[in-house]
Amino acid sequence: MSEAAERADRKPHSPWLVLSVLCLGFFMILLDTTIVNIAIPDMSTSLSASLDQILWVLNSYVLVYAVLLITAGRLGDLYGPKRLFILGLIVFTVASAVCGFARNPEQLIIARVVQGVGGALLTPQTLSVITMIFPAEKRGAAFGLWGAVAGVATVAGPTLGGYLVTDWGWEYIFFVNLPIGIIAVVLAAIVMPDIKLNRRHRLDWTGTALATVGLFLVTYGLIEGEPHDWGRVWGPVTIFEVIAAGVVVLAVFMFQQYAGRDREPLVPFAIFADRNYSLMNVVSAAIAFGMLGLFLPLVIYLQSVLGLTALQAGLTTAPMSLISMCVAPLAGRLADRTGGKWVLFLGLSLWSVGMGLVVWLAHADSGRWHVLPGIIVAGFGLGLTFAPLQTIAMRNVAPQMAGAASGFINTARQLGAVIGSAAVGALLQVQLADQLRSTARANAGALPPQFRDQFVDGFSNASGGNLEIGAGQSGVELPPDLPEQARQVIGEVAAHTFRQAFTTAMRHSLVLPLAVLALAALCCVFVARRSTGATESAPPTPEPVDAHV
């Protein structure tokens, strides 16, 4: 009786208060991503990092994050989402401090890997807790608020990050996570409920190992392809053999998962019987592919081609995030009323059209406001995307499968991000190699004859992996023994060559993520509409976990 009375006295906090704590942790993860993107040119300059090293700074985090999400969802089911959420916050916050103290690309990449572990432990707990504490008819509004937080993070990232990078240094984009992380840990310990669903889960370590190896090989091949001229990378092993090996390992992973489908595999095949959930995994991956694939070249373009500071670049993209933040809650409520199918279709279509306008209007001699029309249209599209997607995906998921379902859809999103970043990065490097050589040859006539061959050779060599993309860079490092007058003339022509070549390469490369976003919009047509008058029952109240267990 005393134990029952104690549980009765433990009145749970409001679901909306719990949601605010979950959103704070999610906000920190998204804030870190957008801040890191805006700081890319300054990090490249400060750490003397090449384009392929910068790609690893981004993808080392996303790769680890993606691979561990499903496992983290299972751990949340096993030990409780509250414990995993708090552990993820602590790991991520400590790793952020280590990132700020990094003094070379290698140290930063290692610290980013640890950040990925923390982010993976935290993220799936947010969706699973929302699914368990909110009845189905209110999840759209909850996910709308969740989407609004994504908008706030994307606003705060470029603007706050731009300010920190411009006035304090790139290190402070990581140090800013410390107060947020500490506050989130304290609030989570007080507010979040201890919940479980009376079911023990097992962890598929073999599947985790296969997925990790397969994804690493594919990502490594895509990022390191151009620096190794798509040839040999490890002794006689070529880049294409590395990628092919990764694909084979992933195929073995899927076979192993299907063969063990009755023993709780990492890939929860049972929930894929729901067509909407399956489609939303594809759409989620495509959105992340497009988002990371579009943003990386755009940030470099704004700073290294247009010459904007990090803060100016952040303010240039801020209208998209501000509009998205305002639209997301309305999209969530609309998704509750209509089912969300055509809301999501409209959002993806507007986002694709808006970013297409940005690409079309971006030229080497453009001003910062030339891209504003596309940014505004994309903002409306982005705001109409996140809440309907989550509402459609999680509507028919049973609470007992919430951890696995949220873990997998987050994994799909991050796999799309890592493949998108690596694929667009690889395509950008290939395009840069071609454009730099051809543009350097075309512009070499403006130089004295004795410097022309050296000028062309310099850009040809730079495209092999040591291309400098920092803010204010000319694309290559000029020889130290050049006379001052020659250095000035060559520097001006080199800067002009880099701006022309990068802009053309970017425009060609961004066709790929735009095509993927268009495919995601097409997938929405096949979403099954919610039946009229159907009612969805609220999930059962989970049993509290004894804090001493």
Side-chain angles (χ1 to χ4, degrees), residues 31 33-42 151-166 173 295 298-304 306-323 368-369 371-372 375-376 471:
L31 179 71
T33 302
T34 52
I35 280 185
V36 170
N37 278 326
I38 206 70
I40 283 170
D42 285 86
V152 173
T154 49
V155 170
T159 51
L160 175 61
Y163 165 72
L164 291 173
V165 170
T166 303
I173 67 170
F295 203 73
L298 183 61
V299 166
I300 299 173
Y301 166 78
L302 290 173
Q303 296 184 58
S304 297
L306 299 190
L308 303 181
T309 66
L311 179 57
Q312 290 171 332
L315 291 173
T316 301
T317 59
M320 178 169 60
S321 302
L322 284 169
I323 293 171
R368 58 188 294 191
W369 301 118
V371 298
L372 183 60
I375 291 290
I376 291 174

Side-chain angles (χ1 to χ4, degrees), residues 147 241 274 338 478 481 546:
E241 289 170 346
D274 179 12
T338 66
L478 300 178
D481 56 346
D546 190 336

Side-chain angles (χ1 to χ4, degrees), residues 213-214 216-222 224 231-234 237-249:
V213 172
F216 173 78
L217 290 174
V218 172
T219 305
Y220 182 90
L222 289 172
E224 292 296 319
R232 295 182 179 181
V233 58
W234 299 323
V237 180
T238 66
I239 285 290
F240 289 108
E241 289 170 346
V242 170
I243 296 174
V247 173
V248 170
V249 172

